[in-house]
Amino acid sequence: MSQPPKFTTLGCRLNAYETEAMKELSQEAGLDNAVIVNTCAVTAEAVRKARQEIRKLRRENPQATLIVTGCAAQTEPETFAQMSEVDRVIGNTEKMQPQTWQNMAADFVGQTEKVQVDDIMSVTETAGHLIDGFGTRSRAYVQVQNGCDHRCTFCIIPFGRGNSRSVPAGVVVDQIKRLVDKGFNEVVLTGVDLTSWGADLPAQPKLGDLVMRILKLVPDLPRLRISSIDSIEVDENLMQAIATEPRLMPHLHLSLQHGDDLILKRMARRHLRDVAIRFCEEAKRLRPDMTFGADIIAGFPTETDAHFENSLKLVTDCDLTWLHVFPYSKREGTPAAKIPNQVSGKVIKARAAALRAAGETQVAAHLSAQQGRVHQVLMENPHMGRTEQFTEVSFAAPQTEGAIVTTKIIGQAGQQLVA
């Protein structure tokens, strides 16, 4: 008896978006009795978890065809091709092409090679497969960019995603119009290096141009949100939108990575500590209710106690609220893996814990400051929604999923506000 394909997604929001696209492609091709794992390559630990998940899925699905794709499949296809549990390894470009799925659905025996992974650096266009409605019923994610032109010394992702490619503004606007027509009240723009959007398009528009164009041409869109950005690339129009557009949500997730100038240089980041602090100060001046999330790496090679203290201090200097703390793990194939003076695992763990504790203190202060305030809360389910700053709010009485509810904050419970 045939079964529809089963999908497992590891890693980032963009992977989750692409899984939704693959579901459509595989269904259109008529693929069945298959298990597809969409992998992440951000750390060596992520690859280990992918292998672990593949073994588990093979035990649970002994008769299915097991297909591995995603960034780890792109960067080290041989690792997965050598696993006895794996039938097919598909690259990041191939996974978004209808023909790939049609070939596999037609005849698994002799029709396709075990490994289909081309040179991602030769790809010059974003995948044309746009999906309408990925996410919750309240919020939709729109991929506007893929790949990265930068080469941070700790990062393997450009070799999994390729160089930066942008979706043209007109295509993005048309998709968002369709999403609004379907009833979505919030759209999130996503990408691998979002602030590089437009550099490869005619006239080289900036992300701020795209944001302003969306808000102008889709007046019925209640809320627009942008995901992780690199503050060094933020343009004047984006700052203008922050200052003047209430429909642009006051929450930015920043790719900061560290708070010490020497470590930032060794990471090959393009900003220094003071630049990050000035950006946060200016964004808060333009939009006083702005909150920040940030990625910070603990224990990068050569990081001393003094270097780490600068990262810890950055949490309050930039007034960061939501931290994504990454304990550094050596990633073969990256320049950082070859740097002498690697920090011990015990020290990395302790520093990551200290950063997380600092983040929890910041969250507590943010939650406390919201008491008695009125927020517009987008309901993700009948009893939980999120404020403009992406803070969770719990409701005792059920609300309409997908609706924007005006409510007063009366308390807090754990890391949630209570309405």
Side-chain angles (χ1 to χ4, degrees):
M1 182 177 170
S2 65
Q3 298 283 337
K6 298 178 184 176
F7 285 83
T8 295
T9 306
L10 305 171
C12 66
R13 178 65 66 176
L14 188 54
N15 252 15
Y17 178 100
E18 290 173 345
T19 291
E20 295 302 308
M22 285 192 286
K23 285 178 182 176
E24 290 187 4
L25 291 168
S26 62
Q27 287 166 8
E28 289 165 4
L31 178 65
D32 54 23
N33 298 327
V35 173
I36 299 96
V37 185
N38 198 7
T39 61
C40 172
V42 70
T43 61
E45 177 66 10
V47 177
R48 188 191 70 78
K49 285 183 177 177
R51 290 167 61 86
Q52 186 179 47
E53 183 70 15
I54 288 163
R55 292 189 186 102
K56 178 172 82 76
L57 288 168
R58 172 52 78 204
R59 288 194 298 271
E60 294 171 354
N61 303 274
Q63 302 304 316
T65 300
L66 201 150
I67 302 164
V68 180
T69 187
C71 288
Q74 181 69 48
T75 56
E76 43 187 287
E78 67 289 342
T79 295
F80 299 98
Q82 289 166 6
M83 293 180 70
S84 61
E85 296 86 353
V86 174
D87 295 302
R88 297 283 180 271
V89 182
I90 308 298
N92 263 340
T93 301
E94 289 77 12
K95 75 181 183 184
M96 303 299 283
Q97 294 172 342
Q99 191 63 48
T100 301
W101 300 94
Q102 290 161 14
N103 287 348
M104 289 193 296
D107 177 8
F108 271 122
V109 182
Q111 184 75 284
T112 54
E113 297 175 13
K114 181 169 185 176
V115 178
Q116 288 181 272
V117 180
D118 285 342
D119 177 13
I120 195 80
M121 293 302 175
S122 66
V123 180
T124 57
E125 294 181 354
T126 45
H129 196 92
L130 296 173
I131 56 172
D132 292 344
F134 159 60
T136 63
R137 283 170 56 189
S138 53
R139 179 181 297 111
Y141 294 82
V142 175
Q143 181 189 353
V144 302
Q145 183 273 341
N146 202 343
C148 185
D149 290 340
H150 312 303
R151 298 294 181 263
C152 299
T153 59
F154 55 83
C155 188
I156 198 78
I157 296 306
F159 302 97
R161 289 284 176 184
N163 291 318
S164 182
R165 293 99 67 200
S166 308
V167 178
V171 176
V172 175
V173 168
D174 286 346
Q175 189 186 13
I176 293 174
K177 284 178 178 176
R178 291 196 300 273
L179 291 166
V180 172
D181 287 344
K182 288 186 173 187
F184 286 94
N185 279 325
E186 183 175 298
V187 165
V188 186
L189 304 182
T190 69
V192 174
D193 181 27
L194 194 58
T195 27
S196 70
W197 179 88
D200 57 322
L201 296 175
Q204 298 185 317
K206 303 285 188 183
L207 180 63
D209 301 325
L210 178 64
V211 166
M212 294 293 249
R213 187 165 175 179
I214 291 166
L215 291 168
K216 179 182 178 183
L217 297 179
V218 196
D220 294 335
L221 173 66
R223 291 162 64 137
L224 180 66
R225 201 178 284 281
I226 52 180
S227 59
S228 183
I229 63 168
D230 200 339
S231 58
I232 195 72
E233 289 185 315
V234 170
D235 58 283
E236 286 183 18
N237 264 351
L238 187 52
M239 297 306 284
Q240 178 75 5
I242 289 169
T244 63
E245 291 286 356
R247 291 186 294 147
L248 179 63
M249 294 295 96
H251 170 254
L252 296 172
H253 190 84
L254 308 176
S255 178
L256 296 180
Q257 309 305 348
H258 212 276
D260 184 88
D261 285 349
L262 181 61
I263 299 297
L264 287 166
K265 287 178 180 177
R266 287 174 178 165
M267 287 178 164
R269 300 294 294 163
R270 291 166 302 133
H271 72 274
L272 296 176
R273 173 195 181 83
D274 284 349
V275 173
I277 294 170
R278 283 201 305 272
F279 170 79
C280 292
E281 289 173 346
E282 178 64 7
K284 279 244 179 192
R285 185 186 71 79
L286 296 173
R287 189 78 175 267
D289 60 344
M290 179 67 75
T291 59
F292 303 107
D295 296 330
I296 300 185
I297 295 172
F300 187 80
T302 75
E303 182 188 75
T304 64
D305 288 344
H307 296 148
F308 174 69
E309 283 301 315
N310 279 333
S311 265
L312 202 56
K313 195 165 177 287
L314 191 71
V315 176
T316 49
D317 287 346
C318 284
D319 196 16
L320 306 175
T321 301
W322 317 106
L323 294 190
H324 286 183
V325 176
F326 294 89
Y328 175 79
S329 69
K330 184 189 282 191
R331 187 69 178 84
E332 294 303 327
T334 63
K338 299 175 183 175
I339 296 176
N341 300 326
Q342 300 276 325
V343 180
S344 77
K346 184 178 178 181
V347 171
I348 291 173
K349 190 174 180 180
R351 289 175 180 172
L355 279 168
R356 290 191 181 106
E360 287 169 8
T361 300
Q362 290 288 101
V363 170
H366 170 70
L367 295 178
S368 178
Q370 307 312 306
Q371 307 306 311
R373 293 190 180 179
V374 174
H375 279 288
Q376 304 289 316
V377 178
L378 178 69
M379 299 306 301
E380 295 189 2
N381 61 55
H383 293 281
M384 195 280 284
R386 291 185 189 266
T387 68
E388 304 89 335
Q389 292 89 359
F390 215 60
T391 311
E392 290 189 3
V393 184
S394 66
F395 290 74
Q399 308 293 319
T400 303
E401 188 174 342
I404 296 175
V405 177
T406 302
T407 192
K408 187 175 183 178
I409 304 303
I410 59 171
Q412 67 184 83
Q415 291 203 336
Q416 283 188 331
L417 296 170
V418 177

